[in-house]
Amino acid sequence: MQKAFYDEDMLQYYRDNNEEHLYWEMFDLFDKGVVESKTHNKLIGLNHSDIKTFTVELTKKLTELFQKINLRQANNR
């Protein structure tokens, strides 16, 4: 995730203001190796074109999908 947010221009901004150390505090694991994991990507679509009801229909379909793959909400609150 840190590699995705790293930005040379922003780093230079911090350097120009003598605050490079503050920038690197946000990237404490930048030089660590990336943990590789198996992934599977699938493009899905919803054949629904009415913008007024799209969100409701999308919510229904995502709920069905999550139930089918037995996904549960984490209780991190």
Side-chain angles (χ1 to χ4, degrees):
M1 189 63 110
Q2 291 185 4
K3 290 189 187 302
F5 285 99
Y6 174 79
D7 184 316
E8 281 287 333
D9 292 332
M10 187 59 70
L11 174 58
Q12 189 59 51
Y13 172 81
Y14 276 80
R15 282 181 178 148
D16 293 345
N17 290 292
N18 296 319
E19 296 178 334
E20 182 177 352
H21 65 284
L22 296 175
Y23 184 80
W24 285 116
E25 285 178 8
M26 297 181 282
F27 296 93
D28 58 333
L29 299 174
F30 185 77
D31 291 328
K32 303 296 180 195
V34 176
V35 176
E36 298 294 331
S37 62
K38 291 183 180 181
T39 62
H40 176 78
N41 299 308
K42 176 83 173 162
L43 294 178
I44 59 173
L46 179 61
N47 188 17
H48 190 84
S49 59
D50 184 356
I51 193 67
K52 293 177 184 174
T53 59
F54 181 82
T55 305
V56 172
E57 192 62 28
L58 177 62
T59 300
K60 287 179 191 175
K61 294 297 183 182
L62 286 174
T63 301
E64 289 175 21
L65 173 64
F66 296 154
Q67 288 172 345
K68 187 168 186 97
I69 64 173
N70 201 27
L71 186 67
R72 302 273 185 248
Q73 180 178 353
N75 292 326
N76 293 336
R77 296 181 210 181

